[in-house]
Amino acid sequence: MSLTYLEYDFKIDPLQPATDILIAELGELGFESFVENETGLLAYILKCEWRDGVLEDLFVCQNPNFEISWTSKEIEQQNWNAEWEKNFHPIKVGEKCMVRAPFHEAVEVDYDIVIEPKMSFGTGHHETTHMMLQHILDTDFSGKSVLDMGCGTGVLAILAKKKGASEVEAIDIDEWCYLNTQENVERNDCADIKVFQGDSSLLDGKKYDVVLANINRNILLEDIPIYTTCLKKGGFLFLSGFYLEDLDAISSKCDAYGLEFEKNIEKNNWVAAKYVN
């Protein structure tokens, strides 16, 4: 049976950082997918999950620094999926890695990753995912045990595995991300990646050589002590999902738990940082 979605077309001025704040707030309301465009954002939610009046209470919509308006319409699931396909473009990271959908043609690269463009975050389009992929490309993963925390589509876990990681686990609290990651690891011949649904409470007693966490500032600050506990001596912690102005707070928390800042990548004010245990 075809499910009915509501498509909200948000016009946003200026686009950043309002778009990112809006995505975060809409995600808490039950919106399941987002497509950024030149004028703002398309956001999708199941009609049966919608509640009238909730948009007016959004913090970002009340901010005088942003102008945000919207229209909405019903859209059948098949059309909604077609919208994703129309807006999903292959992403090349450096010269070695391509992230593409099944309907894109393959190109000659060392790491060809095929991601079904469903509702999960982590296709490589967002700056944070792109930078985390850069960090992985610049790191030797041969024989290492790896955790992809907040895995989204599983794209980071998949690249780590393709780069020679011996054991990879991927965790996400969202059921759709969990299911989508399972599909994608099989699609990329990485079915031995273990995928779990849950949060950092699943990490009790675990040990990894590398921890990848692309989430958001508040969750990272809360969970850095846990990541440190499950990181082997000499291991690497890669963090993203926060802005440049948050780097000092993230680094201070890591330093308090014995992690040494090594380097960071910056793109459009987003940051992905590397720490060593």
Side-chain angles (χ1 to χ4, degrees):
M1 184 178 71
S2 181
L3 297 175
T4 300
Y5 279 80
L6 296 177
E7 176 190 84
Y8 276 78
D9 186 354
F10 290 92
K11 306 299 182 186
I12 305 170
D13 184 39
L15 288 175
Q16 293 297 348
T19 300
D20 293 315
I21 299 171
L22 181 60
I23 288 174
E25 290 199 77
L26 292 176
E28 294 180 357
L29 295 179
F31 280 80
E32 296 177 338
S33 64
F34 309 93
V35 177
E36 296 183 43
N37 55 37
E38 294 180 353
T39 59
L41 180 74
L42 299 177
Y44 298 88
I45 187 172
L46 274 170
K47 185 178 181 181
C48 61
E49 298 289 335
W50 176 247
R51 302 184 307 278
D52 289 332
V54 294
L55 294 182
E56 287 76 6
D57 295 330
L58 291 175
F59 167 78
V60 69
C61 293
Q62 299 176 24
N63 191 316
N65 296 314
F66 308 132
E67 291 185 13
I68 301 177
S69 61
W70 61 85
T71 57
S72 66
K73 65 180 180 181
E74 290 188 9
I75 182 168
E76 294 299 316
Q77 187 180 32
Q78 65 215 39
N79 295 330
W80 173 81
N81 286 336
E83 186 70 21
W84 261 99
E85 292 192 6
K86 184 177 71 176
N87 287 279
F88 186 91
H89 306 290
I91 297 296
K92 196 169 184 182
V93 184
E95 296 301 317
K96 294 185 176 182
C97 179
M98 176 71 77
V99 182
R100 62 183 179 88
F103 47 82
H104 295 139
E105 289 187 13
V107 296
E108 193 65 35
V109 290
D110 292 346
Y111 308 107
D112 180 35
I113 301 176
V114 181
I115 297 295
E116 182 69 41
K118 294 188 177 179
M119 289 182 280
S120 307
F121 295 100
T123 58
H125 289 75
H126 195 275
E127 290 89 341
T128 59
T129 310
H130 195 281
M131 290 186 294
M132 291 290 274
L133 291 169
Q134 285 182 266
H135 272 307
I136 295 173
L137 289 173
D138 293 339
T139 304
D140 181 9
F141 277 76
S142 301
K144 297 188 182 300
S145 55
V146 179
L147 167 67
D148 180 4
M149 191 71 199
C151 57
T153 61
V155 64
L156 302 183
I158 291 167
L159 181 57
K161 186 64 181 177
K162 286 180 177 289
K163 286 211 67 190
S166 57
E167 299 177 14
V168 181
E169 294 185 352
I171 298 174
D172 204 291
I173 196 169
D174 183 82
E175 182 181 15
W176 189 273
C177 293
Y178 161 70
L179 295 173
N180 192 216
T181 295
Q182 285 188 316
E183 295 174 5
N184 287 326
V185 298
E186 293 179 7
R187 181 176 288 111
N188 288 274
D189 298 321
C190 297
D192 54 342
I193 293 176
K194 298 177 181 177
V195 186
F196 304 95
Q197 183 181 355
D199 56 20
S200 59
S201 63
L202 297 179
L203 301 179
D204 188 35
K206 302 270 192 176
K207 287 289 184 181
Y208 307 93
D209 295 303
V210 180
V211 174
L212 309 163
N214 180 18
I215 309 179
N216 65 55
R217 175 188 183 275
N218 292 337
I219 293 178
L220 292 177
L221 287 172
E222 182 178 339
D223 286 350
I224 282 171
I226 300 174
Y227 301 153
T228 306
T229 300
C230 66
L231 195 62
K232 295 179 182 178
K233 187 62 180 175
F236 303 143
L237 173 64
F238 295 94
L239 301 177
S240 194
F242 56 92
Y243 293 113
L244 182 61
E245 50 264 34
D246 299 318
L247 180 59
D248 285 345
I250 296 289
S251 293
S252 295
K253 191 64 174 279
C254 286
D255 181 67
Y257 285 87
L259 299 177
E260 181 181 350
F261 172 81
E262 183 169 298
K263 64 178 182 178
N264 71 274
I265 304 172
E266 179 188 348
K267 188 174 182 181
N268 296 331
N269 205 44
W270 290 97
V271 171
K274 177 182 180 181
Y275 302 87
V276 181
N277 190 15

